[in-house]
């Protein structure tokens, strides 16, 4: 089966010489090759994941051990350790702010979508590269500039931004409010402007590439679910990130030009400010119009990766391919009309709140469809527990447990009690943060052979998975109980309230678990960089997968295929097909080459397929005769 002849072709945007002779700068730094740009996003995302994780360890030390002397951290934190050896309270809020910003935007958006959308879209749809290589390069370098500015803000005298990762005004709009509202907030806004530009450039490129550059035979009904996920993620980003830009721009006006979009009736130190007529709730509407779609900008690529990994390692067709696509389309649409469930306590009309509650609970339906289809694909499959498969199953687990708590928070009457408690922190860290992080790691383990031509060590992958999977639940599951008890998030210390003292031991447990889970990521880091140079050399198709990227050479050059691009004849999930000679049939194998396994409707297509192949062959002979 795998030796069947494969028809190939070149698309209109291809050129005759696909060999690019690049120097070091054009190959590794200012590259226009989508694969190298994907690796740049990945390495930058890994750097930010370390920074974001380290910040969380620092504030967990404060929360778990509020009376601990942190003098030993003075060489790292300098003046942010007080004379009594405690973490400065203002800096604690900055740590929480930067942790959220880094993990949501720089790791789970740029690091996940930027990496795999860039790396996989041309490879899986059969394209030489993105629609615009130059725009793709600009997308990464705007992200890099954003990263540099955000990194610099960590070291300024007044500290980085300190208004929470959502940077609500009036706290973020008044430079005199707290040190974290000064220069650090200005740098945050500039960095996010560059980040939004990067996301929009990338999104336009992804959408254009998927629509226009699919190889022959690659209809939308034959796209891998990864491509559907990346495509719809780009659509969401393209429609929602401009709204965040508008919110940030108005915030800059309020901060620097005396406007009052978000400010009114503000008193500082007993003195009234001149601002009147603004509303901080306006900012909340603008922010969450991006903020909730952002949840799915983060989640959908991870779910797409999980679909591919689970189908491949279950050796079964993905259950409900069309239902998976429809559910992702439903999530895409509904994600734009549920944002106000973040604002149930903002004083909105209860009738309006009930509408958003209804829409929020409805979005659980397409999410449940995806979970059901994952479980059904796993059911009675010939499971192969690679590290990627384990992390994908872990994602499904987090998606279920974190999603169930979302039903509580989607109910406005209950949310009023739970809002801004650790119950919310636990919910979104499970369903969005940890689930998406597991999708990112699963993608790295699965496509590492295609990225670097070598295999990661599976034994280290298993250790990494179990430490991380157990650690995540040990960190976030207890937080639900702390949140139900009513303790609010972003508080510097637990010891100032009598009702929260009973949870001191539980909070200490959470902090220890968080530190161990963070330490476990260094196993992944060692495995990643060691395997890049010393790992076992990969074969062309190590996972015996069906999608097009595994038809390229082990080290594909710029242009991906050395000859013509293969033609696609079937969907990407022909695994363990009854009657087939092997348990996988790549998309490039014609139906006429597998008569023993064709279904009745496929058998009807064979005659049409043979006619097309005959016409192509005659056209090729005619062209050769004309050229000679």
């Amino acid at each position: 089966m795998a030796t069947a002849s494969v028809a190939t072709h070149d698309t209109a945007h291809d050129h005759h010489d696909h060999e690019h002779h690049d120097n070091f700068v054009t190959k590794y730094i200012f590259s226009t090759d989508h694969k190298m740009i994907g690796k740049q996003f990945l390495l930058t995302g890994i750097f930010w994941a370390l920074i974001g994780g380290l910040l969380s360890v620092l504030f967990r030390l404060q929360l778990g051990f509020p009376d601990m002397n942190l003098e030993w951290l003075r060489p790292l934190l300098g003046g942010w350790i007080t004379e009594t050896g405690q973490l400065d309270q203002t800096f604690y809020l900055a740590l929480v702010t930067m942790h959220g910003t880094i993990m949501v935007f720089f790791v789970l958006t740029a690091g996940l979508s930027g990496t795999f959308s860039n790396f996989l879209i041309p490879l899986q749809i059969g394209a030489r590269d993105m629609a615009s290589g130059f725009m793709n390069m600009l997308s990464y370098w705007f992200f890099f500039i954003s990263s540099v500015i955000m990194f610099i803000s960590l070291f300024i005298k007044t500290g980085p931004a300190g208004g929470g990762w959502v940077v609500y005004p009036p706290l973020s709009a008044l430079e005199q409010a707290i040190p974290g509202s000064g220069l650090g907030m200005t740098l945050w806004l500039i960095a996010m402007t560059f980040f939004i530009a990067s996301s929009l450039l990338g999104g336009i490129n992804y959408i254009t590439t998927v629509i226009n550059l699919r190889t022959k035979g690659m209809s939308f009904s034959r796209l891998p679910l990864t491509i559907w996920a990346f495509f719809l993620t780009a659509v969401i980003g393209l429609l929602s990130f401009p709204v965040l830009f508008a919110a940030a721009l108005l915030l800059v006006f309020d901060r620097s030009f005396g406007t009052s979009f978000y400010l009114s009736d503000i008193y500082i130190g007993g003195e009234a400010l001149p601002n009147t007529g603004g509303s901080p709730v306006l900012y909340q509407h603008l922010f969450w119009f991006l903020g909730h779609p952002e949840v799915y900008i983060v989640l959908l690529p991870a779910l797409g990766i999980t679909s591919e990994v689970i189908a491949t390692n279950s050796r079964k067709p993905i259950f409900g391919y069309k239902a998976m696509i429809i559910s992702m389309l439903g999530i895409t649409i509904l994600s734009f009309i549920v944002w106000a469930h973040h604002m149930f306590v903002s004083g909105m009309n209860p009738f309006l709140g009930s509408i958003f509650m209804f829409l929020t609970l409805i979005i659980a339906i397409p999410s449940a469809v995806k979970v059901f289809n994952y479980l059904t694909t796993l059911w009675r499959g010939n499971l192969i527990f690679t590290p990627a498969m384990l992390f994908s199953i872990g994602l499904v687990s987090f998606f279920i447990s974190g999603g169930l708590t979302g039903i509580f928070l989607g109910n406005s009457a209950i949310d009023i009690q739970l809002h801004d408690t650790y119950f919310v922190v636990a919910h979104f860290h499970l369903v969005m943060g940890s689930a998406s992080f597991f999708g990112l790691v699963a993608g790295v383990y699965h496509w590492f052979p295609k990225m670097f031509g070598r295999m990661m060590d599976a034994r280290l992958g298993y250790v990494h998975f179990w430490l991380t999977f157990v650690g995540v639940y040990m960190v976030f599951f207890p937080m639900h109980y702390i949140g139900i008890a009513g303790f609010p998030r972003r508080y510097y210390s637990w010891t100032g309230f009598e009702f929260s003292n009973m949870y001191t031991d539980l909070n200490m447990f959470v902090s220890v678990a968080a530190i161990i889970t963070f330490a476990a990521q260094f196993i992944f880091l060692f495995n990643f960089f060691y395997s890049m140079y010393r790992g076992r050399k990969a074969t062309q198709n190590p996972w015996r997968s069906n999608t097009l990227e595994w038809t390229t050479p082990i080290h594909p050059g710029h242009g991906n295929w050395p000859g013509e691009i293969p033609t696609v004849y079937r969907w990407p999930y022909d695994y363990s097909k009854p009657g087939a000679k092997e348990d996988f049939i790549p998309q490039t194998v014609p139906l006429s080459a597998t008569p023993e396994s064709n279904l009745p409707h496929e058998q009807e297509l064979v005659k049409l397929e043979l006619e097309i192949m005959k016409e192509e062959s005659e056209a090729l002979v005619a062209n050769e005769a004309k050229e000679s």
Side-chain angles (χ1 to χ4, degrees), residues 448 540 628:
F448 190 89
Q540 185 179 15
S628 61

Side-chain angles (χ1 to χ4, degrees), residues 54 141 147 158 176 222 375 377:
L54 178 62
W141 283 103
S147 296
T158 54
Q176 65 270 45
R222 290 176 176 172
L375 297 178
T377 304

